[in-house]
């Protein structure tokens, strides 16, 4: 589960210099602040917020360069992802040669440069696995906030411009497809953090967050997000070490099962004008997700005791597999539109109807 920084530091000859610890701490938490707050500024899809973000990212990068000067280090791209991110900037610069709208093209170049600079800062700041976990947790917390705002906006408890309209949740990102993909990726992050965690209370928080993500993903009406979700989580679980796969699978189906059950009643209540009362279904689902996660935690600890018979372990495993298969079948059949009747019993009506429009012959399906 460990991860090494993607930027390799190379020491220069040491000289007398000021202590770099303060600058490194400020740079690290500056990066964390950027990762946390930017999703709340309309996803940085609009020029005013994007321009401000580019300025802040540039300032943060300069501070990181200053920190490198204090440490007498230079960084070098080491893994393919480093080169891929850095290559984005010249690629966008070359596109200016054939740009139809130069102003829009320059804006895209600024965005690519800001992403590359932020990536360099983040990778350089991650010197230990604990640092990586901290930044991922910050991103995860931001995603929880984005999901909560989307749900609260849908119920009318927290009016946020553009967060909900025509039965679709767009939250602070203002685009349903972008929101769906953003939450799918953070759901994967949440699974990764939860399987590493041995304490109960952090596991409960991850179960709650993953539940909220799934409720909002269903509410985005994003077919692309629904198609990406099983591929993303499935690939992630398959690539995990064998010791973590079953734990990640059960963490997944706990949140997914509760989200499917709660979402149907929640979105139907919204369509009927329930407003704030519809939020009760989300609370019920969240409570169920937390309770099931706690039950799974204590059950796993009990099964690991030596006095538990192997036959008992096999029985629990069979029951767990049955729950896993049931939840997985409902999601796959509903999202693919293969069994519309079964899907309609689980998903919200709007989501089920939207899922039925997915077709392998649809150009949009192939593009996604």
């Amino acid at each position: 589960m460990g991860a090494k920084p993607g930027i390799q530091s190379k020491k220069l000859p040491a000289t007398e210099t000021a202590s770099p610890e303060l600058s490194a701490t400020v740079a690290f938490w500056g990066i964390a602040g950027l990762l946390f707050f930017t999703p709340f500024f309309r996803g940085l899809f609009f020029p005013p917020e994007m321009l401000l973000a580019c300025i802040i990212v540039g300032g943060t990068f300069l501070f990181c360069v200053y920190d490198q000067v204090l440490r007498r280090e230079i960084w070098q791209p080491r893994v393919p992802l480093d080169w891929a991110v850095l290559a984005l900037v010249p690629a966008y610069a070359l596109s200016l040669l054939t740009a139809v709208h130069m102003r829009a093209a320059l804006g895209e170049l600024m965005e690519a440069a800001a992403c590359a600079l932020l990536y360099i800062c983040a990778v350089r700041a991650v010197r230990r696995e604990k640092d990586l976990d901290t930044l991922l947790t910050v991103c995860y917390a931001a995603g929880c906030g984005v999901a909560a705002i989307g749900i609260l906006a849908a119920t009318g408890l927290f009016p946020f411009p553009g967060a909900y309209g025509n039965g679709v949740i767009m939250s602070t990102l203002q685009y349903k497809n972008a929101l769906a993909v953003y939450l799918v990726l953070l759901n994967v992050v949440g699974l990764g953090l939860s399987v590493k965690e041995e304490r109960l209370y952090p596991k409960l928080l991850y179960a709650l967050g993953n539940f909220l993500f799934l409720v909002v993903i269903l509410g985005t009406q994003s077919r692309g997000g629904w198609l990406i979700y099983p591929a993303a989580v499935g690939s992630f679980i398959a690539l995990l070490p064998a010791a973590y796969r079953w734990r990640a699978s059960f963490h997944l189906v706990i949140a997914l099962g509760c989200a499917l059950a709660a979402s149907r009643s929640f979105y139907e209540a919204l369509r009927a004008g329930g407003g704030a009362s519809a939020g009760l279904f989300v609370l019920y689902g969240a409570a169920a997700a937390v309770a099931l996660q706690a039950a799974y935690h204590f059950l796993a600890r009990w099964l690991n005791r030596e006095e538990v018979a192997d036959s008992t372990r096999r029985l629990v495993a069979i029951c767990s597999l049955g729950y896993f298969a049931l939840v997985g079948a409902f999601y796959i059949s509903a999202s693919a539109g293969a069994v519309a009747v079964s899907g309609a019993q689980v998903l919200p009506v709007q989501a089920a109807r939207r899922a039925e429009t997915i077709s392998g012959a649809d150009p949009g399906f192939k593009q996604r």
Side-chain angles (χ1 to χ4, degrees):
M1 293 296 294
K4 295 182 179 180
I7 298 295
Q8 185 178 31
S9 296
K10 182 178 180 181
K11 287 283 186 181
L12 294 177
T15 59
E16 293 292 330
T17 183
S19 172
E21 296 304 322
L22 178 60
S23 62
T25 301
V26 173
F28 181 86
W29 288 107
I31 295 165
L34 274 170
L35 294 174
F36 180 82
F37 287 108
T38 47
F40 297 98
F41 292 96
R42 298 198 295 176
L44 302 183
F45 288 112
F46 301 92
E49 291 86 352
M50 190 64 214
L51 178 60
L52 177 61
C54 287
I55 294 172
I56 296 175
V57 170
T60 303
F61 180 74
L62 291 177
F63 200 92
C64 288
V65 170
Y66 171 70
D67 178 58
Q68 282 192 307
V69 171
L70 290 181
R71 292 179 180 273
R72 296 295 187 264
E73 294 177 350
I74 59 173
W75 58 265
Q76 298 174 344
R78 185 171 63 90
V79 298
L81 182 60
D82 300 339
W83 291 106
V85 172
L86 294 178
L88 279 176
V89 181
Y92 273 89
L94 287 174
S95 70
L96 295 178
L97 299 176
T98 57
V100 177
H101 301 288
M102 184 59 65
R103 183 174 179 179
L106 287 172
E108 295 291 335
L109 176 60
M110 287 180 61
E111 293 178 19
C115 289
L117 294 180
L118 183 57
Y119 173 84
I120 293 171
C121 293
V123 169
R124 185 185 174 278
V126 174
R127 297 179 177 273
R128 302 168 299 169
E129 185 175 347
K130 182 179 179 181
D131 297 332
L132 177 61
D133 289 346
T134 299
L135 289 183
L136 290 177
T137 302
V138 167
C139 294
Y140 188 81
C144 290
V146 170
I149 289 175
I151 292 173
L152 292 174
T155 60
L157 295 175
F158 184 79
F160 191 98
Y164 179 76
N166 298 321
V168 177
I169 292 181
M170 293 173 286
S171 192
T172 59
L173 269 66
Q174 308 291 290
Y175 287 109
K176 62 180 185 179
N177 290 329
L179 176 62
V181 173
Y182 172 70
L183 295 182
V184 166
L185 293 177
L186 288 181
N187 197 355
V188 172
V189 169
L191 286 175
L193 293 173
S194 67
V195 297
K196 292 173 60 178
E197 187 60 61
E198 297 297 335
R199 296 168 298 171
L200 173 61
Y201 294 116
K203 287 182 179 180
L204 300 183
L205 292 177
Y206 290 128
L208 176 60
N210 290 340
F211 165 80
L212 293 176
F213 292 165
L214 286 162
V215 170
V216 176
I217 289 170
L218 291 171
T220 60
Q221 299 292 306
S222 170
R223 295 180 299 178
W226 297 344
L227 292 171
I228 290 173
Y229 180 78
V233 296
S235 299
F236 172 74
I237 292 174
L239 292 173
L240 283 175
Y244 291 100
R245 286 176 191 156
W246 281 113
R247 185 187 300 185
S249 298
F250 289 122
H251 287 192
L252 167 65
V253 296
I254 285 171
L256 181 58
C258 294
L260 289 172
S263 294
R264 177 175 174 81
S265 300
F266 173 63
Y267 289 111
E268 285 185 352
L270 287 180
R271 291 178 60 207
S277 62
L280 291 175
F281 295 106
V282 175
L283 293 179
Y284 297 151
V290 169
L292 286 174
Q293 185 67 57
Y296 173 73
H297 173 82
F298 289 115
L299 179 62
R301 292 180 59 181
W302 177 72
L303 288 175
N304 286 330
R305 297 169 62 182
E306 293 182 358
E307 57 267 27
V308 177
D310 290 339
S311 58
T312 303
R313 293 192 178 97
R314 286 194 292 269
L315 178 61
V316 172
I318 292 172
C319 294
S320 301
L321 285 174
Y323 176 76
F324 178 85
L326 181 64
V327 173
F330 274 136
Y331 182 87
I332 293 172
S333 63
S335 62
V339 185
V341 176
S342 298
Q345 298 302 316
V346 182
L347 291 177
V349 174
Q350 281 183 299
R353 290 176 179 173
R354 179 72 171 167
E356 290 174 16
T357 64
I358 298 175
S359 169
D362 184 0
F365 179 90
K366 298 176 182 178
Q367 292 170 3
R368 289 179 176 88

